[in-house]
Amino acid sequence: QRAGNAPGVDPSALVAQAALETGWGRAVPSQASGSSSFNLFGIKAGSSWNGATTHVPTLVFEDRVPVRRVERFRAYATPADSFNDYARLIGGNPRYENARGAGGDVATFASALQQGGYATDPNYAQKVVAVADEVRALMVNRHG
């Protein structure tokens, strides 16, 4: 919830994005040692990243064509570190300004992420919204 509060986004949107990025937790990137990277949001490690990293095969889209590559991703000590870094990234990067403050409007949030270049998949926003609908349905069923 804290990670969602920082950029002003419903936490279910963040859970949905993490679920999408990790295949509901089944595909969290591993480090070379075999331990989890706890990178729940598919955050790549750019040149300014000074923390731990791991190299992971991934699918990127170039001109709407899927291409397999090995990319450098951030690695974290805990899942909480991943959520905290994500909140800093979304909350502090001007590219995602339109995603901040979306509240419960997952479609606006996801669309702004995609427009900001968060993912190369041309259907990324739609996928986040679909998973968010699943997350919300699970929460309703769980809490009656």
Side-chain angles (χ1 to χ4, degrees):
Q1 259 183 314
R2 273 195 315 264
N5 290 341
V9 178
D10 187 312
S12 68
L14 274 59
V15 171
Q17 192 178 5
L20 175 62
E21 289 286 348
T22 65
W24 291 93
R26 291 185 302 270
V28 178
S30 295
Q31 297 187 65
S33 65
S35 62
S36 178
S37 70
F38 296 114
N39 187 334
L40 304 177
F41 294 96
I43 302 174
K44 291 181 181 170
S47 59
S48 64
W49 177 251
N50 294 322
T53 63
T54 187
H55 288 82
V56 180
T58 190
L59 190 66
V60 297
F61 287 78
E62 296 176 353
D63 296 321
R64 302 182 70 89
V65 176
V67 177
R68 291 227 170 259
R69 287 216 175 107
V70 174
E71 299 274 354
R72 193 170 148 246
F73 286 82
R74 297 178 184 191
Y76 306 98
T78 67
D81 290 344
S82 179
F83 272 93
N84 291 335
D85 187 48
Y86 176 83
R88 278 191 299 273
L89 176 70
I90 300 305
N93 190 319
R95 290 176 24 189
Y96 307 118
E97 181 177 356
N98 293 332
R100 294 192 288 270
D105 187 346
V106 178
T108 295
F109 172 71
S111 179
L113 286 179
Q114 186 169 341
Q115 290 171 4
Y118 190 90
T120 59
D121 182 342
N123 299 312
Y124 190 77
Q126 293 170 305
K127 290 177 181 179
V128 171
V129 170
V131 175
D133 289 344
E134 288 182 60
V135 168
R136 287 181 174 157
L138 289 170
M139 292 171 70
V140 167
N141 289 336
R142 188 173 193 199
H143 298 291

